[in-house]
Amino acid sequence: MANRSLAKDHADTCVLVTGGAGFIGSHTVVELLARGYRVVVVDDLSNSSETALERVRTIAGLAPDDNRLVFYEDSILDRDALSRVFDAHDIDAIIHFAGFKAVGESVQKPLEYYWNNVAGTLVLCDVARAHNVKNIVFSSSATVYGEPEFCPITENCPKHDATNPYGWTKSMLEQVLSDLYVGDNEWNVVLLRYFNPIGAHESGLIGEDPKGIPNNLLPYVAQVAVGKLARVGVFGDDYPTPDGTGVRDYIHVVDLARGHVAALDWMGGKVGTGEARGLGSIAGEPAEDGTRRGVGIFNLGTGTGSSVLDVIHAFERACGHKIPYEIKPRRAGDIAENYASCDKARDELGWVAEYDLDRMCADSWRWQSANPDGYATA
Ligand code: UD1
């Protein structure tokens, strides 16, 4: 069966965003609406808040009843609920964020992680296929490279074994989605490998709202800055990096969100050459309407590495006061350094990250200081 065409205007294109109330999802919905897309969000609110979507409406200037954004509180594991959503809307493409994402928790709860992330994606793809929707952008992660063989990491850097179930779900789902194309050349798949998304929308209305004590560096630093936590533990200062602390490629969540919009234009054949360039992708024959077929793989990062201390100091500049920290032992499973080569996304998608670390921290601080308890403040 044919795939739904993306060769049309944004205003005529309806995008299903799973996990659209979450951190990256909500920022992506803002960027989609800004470019005129119609958006349907499916989110079970297990790690997100409907308030985020109300604020997305405010940012986008949409009245509460404007149906350019529609929300369903459903799990992607609920086949009947998903079918009803596909029956009710002419969905053209899917941006699939919904999934559990806490590395440590995934070690404790492997069954929950594999079930939610892997089985949920299988149900989603099955229902989508039944409705002839075979355009999907998947939220993957630089975690699939494991300890990278080289830096900057290009898309053809070999994948390595994951060190936890969360990482395995990303790696496995890349394989599942690639195999969907191999089995049915109508599929148009993009795998986006995110580096470390941080920051917040410049309005300060939406941002990252982790439950409990944050595991990731930026939300932890932000909560120390706002006085909710005492000091940052720096996990290791004896790595082979310039200041001994771990180096990562932090990317502003708004840049990341725009990368998804660029990916949709690429899938629709509106930008890029479609050449695989040997970097992991499978370039299929384009469809008659010029839209792409195949599997496109892109890193989304800035190409710049920053150390843990760089981040703490940038955040101090943003919030205007010192951030206490202490050096702790290395965290199990951490690597010294990873940062992206983003040439492929630049050349094919016409996308580059615009915001630097200072801007990421300034926006993160605006969100955190206005919403010290996240959406619970609302
Ligand atoms: C982590 C996950 C990765 C996942 C990503 C999602 C691990 C090992 N990796 O990436 O699989 O895709 O989150 O966002 O969990 N750090 C501190 N103190 C802290 C927290 C972190 O020093 O309290 C350091 C870490 O050692 C690392 C850097 O800050 O050098 C970034 O850590 P984090 O934000 O957790 O991201 P990653 O480990 O890169």
Side-chain angles (χ1 to χ4, degrees), residues 9-47:
D9 292 341
H10 293 174
D12 300 323
T13 308
C14 180
V15 183
L16 170 64
V17 182
T18 71
F23 175 44
I24 307 173
S26 57
H27 288 81
T28 300
V29 173
V30 167
E31 298 303 318
L32 289 168
L33 292 171
R35 280 159 191 76
Y37 284 101
R38 291 184 290 126
V39 179
V40 174
V41 169
V42 168
D43 194 307
D44 67 0
L45 302 182
S46 59
N47 189 28

